[in-house]
């Protein structure tokens, strides 16, 4: 009997615990995820509509988790937003994938974040021509933050006399713009220089290189660039070496001129202990943002060469190209030359004094009784 009462009490407590908490609400997914191409060389518009049941959750914060990538990419790019539309750059030579879900959090969910199911969409531009007809070895460098130079080679299936054109767009341009300064090889466009792109910095720059040939369809190349990640500064300027009395080698330089922001640079310093070798064994001694460095020298009898180069640092870009090296050599001979320059005036002074004494001695020998002519004239 006692056991029966205990079971009834347990069921009652369990029922009480069950009814004391309201059921967890569910979040409905967004609707009508669409990807459209406004003709901006890979910059696509992605938009969706809020879930139909959204109005029933007025006491909850509603956000969306939006993810996108090109097919074949390992990772998704993730955005948390309350917006319903984005414009994003893609490589149109590959399928575009996007997905979005609803996130609810607030009093309606008892402070717990609730996720809806995902909705998906894909997009693919109908590609003409074979893959081997696309330009090869496309490469761009943003030289000293002043101009962008892009180069390529004709596709393997490109016909003789092919004509290539480069087109670009970034947010702020009203329409797609064609290159005005082509680089040519045997009459074929194999590169382009783009000036005045400062407004495109820290934005996505969409580029298309397409080609046309007689009775041949050529596949266009689509790329999305970020200028700051392609920057290659000029070499550092005014590299100066000096030796302290304690034997430390002091190295100082100036940032390159031009448009490169000085605060966006880091430098690598290397030292070669022997400049007489055909190929000096360079040793990295520092990577820093400062423009001066002191290097202790354990063996002052060795000559030293120092070289410095710069690139965009992590505070301004995700990556970048190293500049060419600025190089200067310092040897103990230079230190001896400096000491010699100090000794020369002293030597000249001693020499002048010695010559004066010699001349006086000669004059005394030529005068009677060892007296100077001046003494004789005074005595008469």
């Amino acid at each position: 009997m006692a056991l029966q009462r205990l079971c009834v009490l347990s069921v009652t407590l369990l029922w009480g615990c069950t009814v004391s908490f309201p059921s967890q609400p569910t979040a409905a997914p967004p609707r009508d995820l669409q990807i459209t191409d406004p003709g901006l060389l890979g910059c696509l518009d992605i938009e969706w509509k809020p879930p139909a049941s959204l109005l029933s959750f007025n006491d909850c914060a509603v956000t969306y988790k939006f993810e996108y990538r090109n097919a074949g990419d390992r990772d998704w790019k993730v955005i948390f937003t309350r917006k319903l539309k984005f414009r994003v750059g893609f490589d149109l030579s590959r399928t575009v994938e996007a997905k979005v879900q609803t996130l609810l959090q607030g009093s309606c969910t008892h402070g717990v974040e609730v996720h809806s199911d995902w909705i998906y969409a894909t997009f693919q531009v109908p590609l003409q021509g074979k893959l081997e007809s696309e330009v090869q070895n496309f490469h761009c460098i943003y030289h000293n933050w002043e101009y962008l130079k892009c180069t390529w080679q004709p596709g393997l299936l490109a016909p003789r006399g092919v004509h290539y054109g480069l087109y670009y767009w970034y947010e702020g341009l009203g329409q797609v713009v064609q290159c005005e300064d082509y680089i040519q090889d045997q009459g074929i466009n194999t590169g382009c220089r783009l000036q005045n792109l400062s407004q495109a910095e820290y934005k996505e720059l969409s580029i298309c290189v397409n080609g046309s040939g007689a009775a041949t369809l050529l596949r266009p190349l689509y790329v999305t660039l970020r200028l700051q990640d392609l920057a290659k500064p000029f070499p550092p300027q005014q590299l100066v070496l000096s030796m302290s009395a304690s034997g430390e080698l002091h190295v100082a330089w100036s940032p390159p001129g031009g448009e490169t922001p000085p605060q966006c640079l880091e430098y690598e310093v290397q030292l070669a202990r022997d400049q007489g070798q055909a190929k000096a064994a360079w040793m990295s001694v520092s990577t820093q943002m400062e423009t001066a460095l002191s290097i202790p020298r354990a063996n002052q009898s060795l000559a030293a060469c120092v070289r410095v180069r710069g690139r965009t640092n992590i505070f301004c870009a995700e990556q970048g190209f190293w500049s060419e090296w600025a190089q200067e050599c310092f040897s103990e001979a230079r230190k001896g030359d400096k000491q010699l320059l100090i000794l020369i005036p002293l030597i000249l002074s001693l020499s002048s004094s010695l010559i004066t004494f010699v001349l006086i001695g000669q004059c005394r020998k030529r005068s009677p009784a060892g007296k100077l002519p001046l003494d004789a004239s005074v005595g008469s």
Side-chain angles (χ1 to χ4, degrees):
M1 186 67 179
L3 181 60
Q4 183 178 3
R5 288 180 180 178
L6 181 60
C7 291
V8 172
L9 179 59
S10 299
V11 171
T12 303
L13 291 175
L14 180 61
W15 179 83
C17 292
T18 303
V19 298
S20 61
F21 295 97
S23 60
Q24 188 78 356
T26 58
R31 299 172 295 142
D32 300 334
L33 177 60
Q34 296 183 355
I35 305 175
T36 56
D37 183 6
L40 299 177
L41 308 181
C43 202
L44 304 180
D45 289 332
I46 304 177
E47 57 184 322
W48 59 89
K49 295 179 182 178
S53 59
L54 189 61
L55 296 179
S56 62
F57 296 103
N58 293 329
D59 52 349
C60 260
V62 180
T63 56
Y64 301 99
K65 186 178 182 181
F66 167 51
E67 299 187 10
Y68 62 94
R69 69 179 181 182
N70 273 114
D73 291 346
R74 178 179 178 181
D75 300 320
W76 294 81
K77 296 181 180 179
V78 182
I79 297 176
F80 292 91
T81 181
R82 294 187 178 183
K83 297 180 179 179
L84 299 173
K85 183 176 181 178
F86 276 90
R87 176 167 284 179
V88 184
F90 292 94
D91 176 3
L92 291 187
S93 63
R94 295 183 289 156
T95 301
V96 173
E97 302 175 343
K99 60 182 180 179
V100 63
Q101 66 177 176
T102 307
L103 307 180
L104 288 178
Q105 186 173 14
S107 58
C108 72
T109 63
H110 313 295
V112 178
E113 188 175 72
V114 178
H115 298 203
S116 75
D117 293 333
W118 292 98
I119 60 172
Y120 297 84
T122 60
F123 180 86
Q124 176 68 67
V125 172
L127 295 177
Q128 65 181 22
K130 296 182 178 180
L131 179 61
E132 293 79 6
S133 67
E134 184 181 270
V135 296
Q136 304 179 90
N137 302 325
F138 184 80
H139 182 67
C140 295
I141 296 179
Y142 193 34
H143 289 276
N144 209 41
W145 296 64
E146 294 179 3
Y147 68 95
L148 180 69
K149 180 180 178 181
C150 296
T151 58
W152 61 84
Q153 294 176 345
L156 296 176
L157 299 182
R160 181 177 299 179
V162 62
H163 176 76
Y164 289 111
L166 181 143
Y167 302 84
Y168 66 96
W169 179 88
Y170 58 86
E171 185 179 357
L173 286 180
Q175 59 186 3
V176 172
V177 180
Q178 183 178 182
C179 171
E180 296 181 351
D181 185 11
Y182 283 106
I183 301 169
Q184 292 192 336
D185 181 15
Q186 298 181 358
I188 298 176
N189 293 339
T190 57
C192 170
R193 297 182 188 89
L194 298 177
Q195 307 278 353
N196 303 319
L197 291 177
S198 60
Q199 297 300 316
E201 293 171 6
Y202 297 99
K203 298 179 181 179
E204 292 186 334
L205 176 65
S206 299
I207 288 181
C208 173
V209 180
N210 62 15
S212 59
T216 303
L217 293 177
L218 303 179
R219 178 169 296 191
L221 171 73
Y222 295 95
V223 293
T224 300
L225 308 177
R226 293 167 182 81
L227 292 177
Q228 66 275 8
D229 294 339
L230 302 172
K232 180 179 180 178
F234 289 161
Q237 296 180 329
Q238 301 174 353
L239 177 59
V240 177
L241 310 181
S242 61
M243 181 71 72
S244 69
S246 62
E248 282 191 332
L249 182 61
H250 295 290
V251 186
W253 61 91
S254 300
E259 300 299 323
T260 300
Q263 72 276 10
C264 286
L265 289 176
E266 66 176 0
Y267 303 95
E268 182 182 15
V269 184
Q270 291 188 348
L271 173 67
R273 293 290 185 176
D274 188 355
Q275 61 177 320
Q277 297 177 352
K279 290 186 178 180
W282 293 98
M283 176 182 65
S284 293
V285 294
S286 177
T287 299
Q288 60 185 52
M289 295 179 63
E290 295 79 11
T291 57
L293 178 68
S294 294
I295 304 174
R297 296 191 63 199
N299 191 343
Q300 297 185 23
S301 65
L302 291 178
C305 287
V306 177
R307 62 183 186 180
V308 184
R309 62 179 180 175
R311 71 174 176 185
T312 308
N313 59 44
I314 60 174
F315 300 103
C316 295
E318 293 184 3
Q319 55 188 352
F321 297 105
W322 283 108
S323 73
E324 303 299 325
W325 292 100
Q327 181 174 326
E328 184 65 34
C329 292
F330 181 91
S331 67
E332 293 302 322
R334 293 190 180 182
K335 184 177 179 181
D337 292 343
K338 293 182 179 179
Q339 294 175 343
L340 182 61
L341 291 176
I342 297 174
L343 291 175
I344 286 176
L346 180 59
I347 294 172
L348 290 177
S349 177
L350 292 175
S351 300
S352 299
S353 299
L354 181 60
I355 292 172
T356 300
F357 284 123
V358 170
L359 291 175
I360 291 175
Q362 292 294 330
C363 291
R364 287 181 181 273
K365 290 180 180 180
R366 294 176 182 177
S367 301
K371 294 183 180 179
L372 293 176
L374 179 61
D375 295 337
S377 61
V378 172
S380 59

